[in-house]
Amino acid sequence: MKIARTALAAAVLLLGFYLIFTRVLGVQESEGKIIYDEICSGCHGDHGEGFADLHPPLAGSDHLSALSNETLVCMVKNGKTGGVTVNGKRYDVAQMPGFPKLSPTQVANLVNYLRKQWAPGPSLSPRQAETIWSDCPN
């Protein structure tokens, strides 16, 4: 009887941790999507498809997949000037603005959203984002 209660308590505890963990991840993912929708989708499209010859796609992008988290964080902070080649196509027209007012948590959530949607890679914590952010060249 005591073993059954202990096993039940352990199961309830594990379920609680699971629910908390998935809730936290869900909030982070949804914030990343919200940020993407607000500041990125106007140029890169709702589904990362890009816009004509002006803005490169993110979905299926060999360029995005090759970028490190450090480069992504600095691009979010400072923007991007100059051209970029994505999947063999050159994009020279548009300049990506920087978003220096985002918090480290927002940057981490955005990068993690991009990684999950279109460019699998290592996840980024807010602490890592803050460290990278402060080291980005201006």
Side-chain angles (χ1 to χ4, degrees):
M1 189 73 146
K2 188 173 183 176
I3 293 174
R5 279 187 283 177
T6 303
L8 179 60
V12 169
L13 184 64
L14 285 174
L15 178 61
F17 282 132
Y18 171 78
L19 292 174
I20 290 169
F21 184 70
T22 56
R23 171 74 176 137
V24 167
L25 286 181
V27 168
Q28 290 173 345
E29 181 180 326
S30 64
E31 183 184 22
K33 180 176 178 5
I34 290 167
I35 295 166
Y36 177 84
D37 289 345
E38 288 177 2
I39 67 173
C40 306
S41 68
C43 294
H44 293 289
D46 292 340
H47 305 287
E49 68 275 13
F51 183 70
D53 292 331
L54 298 175
H55 306 287
L58 300 178
S61 167
D62 59 350
H63 179 72
L64 178 62
S65 294
L67 296 177
S68 67
N69 284 346
E70 290 79 7
T71 301
L72 280 171
V73 168
C74 292
M75 282 177 68
V76 170
K77 179 181 181 183
N78 297 322
K80 170 111 175 75
T81 57
V84 64
T85 300
V86 176
N87 301 334
K89 182 175 180 177
R90 184 80 182 163
Y91 294 85
D92 284 313
V93 181
Q95 174 180 337
M96 182 180 133
F99 301 95
K101 296 193 186 255
L102 292 177
S103 73
T105 299
Q106 290 173 316
V107 172
N109 290 340
L110 175 60
V111 168
N112 290 334
Y113 176 75
L114 295 173
R115 291 281 183 219
K116 182 171 184 189
Q117 290 301 113
W118 301 300
S123 63
L124 184 69
S125 73
R127 181 169 292 187
Q128 291 169 319
E130 184 172 25
T131 300
I132 295 167
W133 190 271
S134 64
D135 290 339
C136 289
N138 287 327

